[in-house]
């Protein structure tokens, strides 16, 4: 069943995961997209304010997106997103972390200019197995409304 705008009332939508993160994934992402010492070199990372090898915040955002896609977006009548309102990196992503993604609907409203679709604002929080929040993201997604709902 395809999820439509009407399937996203404000409140907790769900929790998705786990997603295990390996040292090799952290190193590969950093080498390709964010080649800073704290993401590539364990000795340099130990001397950094992160006190150890950590994944890039952009890697964490990519993992969040994948968890959203696997969890619900690929089943939704999504038309894409106009952007991200806010991303906050709160704690480092570490090799061996098992991630869970908590998804809340902050608001849902029908588009004034295109009544056949709605705008759902999501807040996604990713946490490790110890319950420590690593990042939060707030983003609207455009989602088709159910036929006959207009």
């Amino acid at each position: 069943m395809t999820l439509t705008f009407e399937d996203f009332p404000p409140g907790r939508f769900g929790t998705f995961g786990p997603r295990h993160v390996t040292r090799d994934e952290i190193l590969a992402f950093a080498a390709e997209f964010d080649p800073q010492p704290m993401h590539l070199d364990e000795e340099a990372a130990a001397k950094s304010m992160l006190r150890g090898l950590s994944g890039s915040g952009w890697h964490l955002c990519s993992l969040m997106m994948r968890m959203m896609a696997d969890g619900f977006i690929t089943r939704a009548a999504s038309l894409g997103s106009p952007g991200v309102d806010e991303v906050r990196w709160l704690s480092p992503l570490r090799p061996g972390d098992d991630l869970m993604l908590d998804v809340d609907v902050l608001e849902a409203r029908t588009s004034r200019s295109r009544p056949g679709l709605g705008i759902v604002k999501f807040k996604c929080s990713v946490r490790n197995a110890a319950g420590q929040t690593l990042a939060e993201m707030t983003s609207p997604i455009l989602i088709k409304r159910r036929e006959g709902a207009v």
Side-chain angles (χ1 to χ4, degrees):
M1 179 181 115
T2 300
L3 300 171
T4 62
F5 169 77
E6 292 76 16
D7 295 311
F8 296 97
R12 173 58 53 102
F13 179 71
T15 297
F16 305 96
R19 171 66 161 81
H20 184 74
V21 181
T22 68
R23 178 183 178 278
D24 288 344
E25 287 176 292
I26 287 174
L27 294 174
F29 186 95
E32 181 73 17
F33 301 107
D34 193 354
Q36 297 183 71
M38 69 285 245
H39 306 316
L40 286 171
D41 180 286
E42 300 211 27
E43 188 174 315
K47 295 175 185 173
S48 77
M49 69 179 200
L50 298 174
R51 296 188 176 127
L53 189 68
S54 65
S56 166
W58 298 113
H59 186 186
L60 189 53
C61 286
S62 296
L63 291 166
M64 290 172 71
M65 184 64 225
R66 182 58 198 232
M67 293 174 80
M68 289 171 63
D70 290 347
F72 67 96
I73 290 178
T74 57
R75 296 183 295 123
S78 171
L79 300 170
S81 173
V84 173
D85 293 343
E86 180 180 40
V87 173
R88 296 182 55 197
W89 297 311
L90 304 170
S91 295
L93 172 65
R94 302 290 189 193
D97 273 347
D98 290 308
L99 305 178
M100 297 297 291
L101 183 72
D102 297 316
V103 178
D104 293 296
V105 174
L106 297 179
E107 61 183 61
R109 67 175 179 82
T110 303
S111 170
R112 288 186 280 287
S113 61
R114 296 178 63 194
L117 66 89
I119 303 162
V120 181
K121 184 179 281 191
F122 291 94
K123 179 179 181 183
C124 298
S125 299
V126 65
R127 57 187 160 83
N128 61 22
Q132 183 177 36
T133 302
L134 306 183
E136 296 175 337
M137 177 178 67
T138 304
S139 178
I141 297 179
L142 308 175
I143 301 178
K144 285 184 187 177
R145 293 186 68 200
R146 198 167 284 135
E147 294 230 4
V150 181

